[in-house]
Amino acid sequence: MSFQLPILKILAGQPGGRASLELVKQHLAIFYTSGPEWPARMKRIASREPNLDIFGQRLIEREEGYWIITAHGRKILERLEVLDAAEKLNESVTKGQPQGQAEGTAGR
């Protein structure tokens, strides 16, 4: 599995979208050892962008000791997450679950 999407996700969650390589490695280790959900989600989302190249597409910039997500990187990540959320919603509706429950808004 490629670590490119998880790196984007980690950087997006950091102040200023900036983190040291050491911090990125620490987050990756935590995420990948805390259960199957994170790797499964990253694999599912990454399947929508099989040719993702965080450096070649300039989704992140390298600065001495740090990686920084670019505005373009944030847009790509957001688009992939929106597509994933829409697919999950469609699956819930297709399985016969009322739309309000699929969206988590039932009874509100």
Side-chain angles (χ1 to χ4, degrees):
M1 165 174 205
S2 171
F3 290 101
Q4 295 193 57
L5 180 66
I7 289 170
L8 277 181
K9 185 82 173 140
I10 290 166
L11 291 174
Q14 298 304 306
R18 182 176 193 253
S20 68
L21 182 54
E22 188 60 34
L23 183 67
V24 171
K25 287 179 183 180
Q26 289 172 3
H27 280 267
L28 286 171
I30 291 167
F31 291 140
Y32 281 98
T33 58
S34 60
E37 295 83 14
W38 172 265
R41 181 169 184 255
M42 291 297 103
K43 185 176 181 179
R44 186 179 66 243
I45 294 172
S47 71
R48 300 184 177 292
E49 190 76 33
N51 297 318
L52 189 68
D53 180 355
I54 59 176
F55 296 111
Q57 292 173 290
R58 298 185 182 199
L59 306 181
I60 67 169
E61 295 176 347
R62 289 180 268 198
E63 192 177 276
E64 189 173 336
Y66 293 92
W67 287 356
I68 306 157
I69 190 169
T70 64
H72 183 58
R74 286 185 188 275
K75 286 180 185 177
I76 294 290
L77 180 60
E78 182 180 340
R79 180 180 60 83
L80 292 172
E81 290 183 325
V82 165
L83 289 171
D84 185 59
E87 181 179 297
K88 287 189 79 168
L89 177 61
N90 287 337
E91 286 175 5
S92 295
V93 171
T94 301
K95 289 179 182 176
Q97 195 175 32
Q99 189 167 356
Q101 288 179 354
E103 294 173 354
T105 59
R108 291 185 192 164

